[in-house]
Amino acid sequence: FFPLLVASLIFYCWIWALAVYGLRFLIQAFVFWRTTRKLNEKDLFPLFPLLDIWMFAYYLIFAPALIRKPRATWK
């Protein structure tokens, strides 16, 4: 989502790009808020934007592990 957001900010109308990002952010925040409340982990909600950015970095770091699978050797 973040690479497409940056590309749309550069090559498209930035107002629409920010509106779509804002809508995504609000929906995701609502779902995260309800989940943290139900699981009694309310102290994690303020960290929600940082956790969202961390997931993007996590996917960048560990995606090559999904592409390069080890060979299964059977004996």
Side-chain angles (χ1 to χ4, degrees):
F1 188 83
F2 289 111
L4 290 177
L5 175 68
V6 172
S8 63
L9 285 172
I10 295 171
F11 298 115
Y12 194 64
C13 180
W14 62 272
I15 295 173
W16 284 104
L18 289 180
V20 169
Y21 178 73
L23 180 66
R24 174 198 168 267
F25 186 80
L26 287 176
I27 292 170
Q28 193 173 7
F30 177 72
V31 170
F32 197 75
W33 174 70
R34 297 265 313 209
T35 305
T36 56
R37 194 177 69 173
K38 184 166 255 190
L39 295 174
N40 202 16
E41 295 289 339
K42 297 175 190 171
D43 57 334
L44 290 177
F45 184 72
L47 299 175
F48 155 67
L50 296 174
L51 294 173
D52 189 35
I53 294 171
W54 168 248
M55 281 306 291
F56 175 65
Y58 177 82
Y59 288 141
L60 284 178
I61 293 169
F62 291 108
L66 295 174
I67 297 169
R68 207 182 66 214
K69 293 182 181 178
R71 291 186 185 185
T73 56
W74 296 88
K75 293 184 181 183

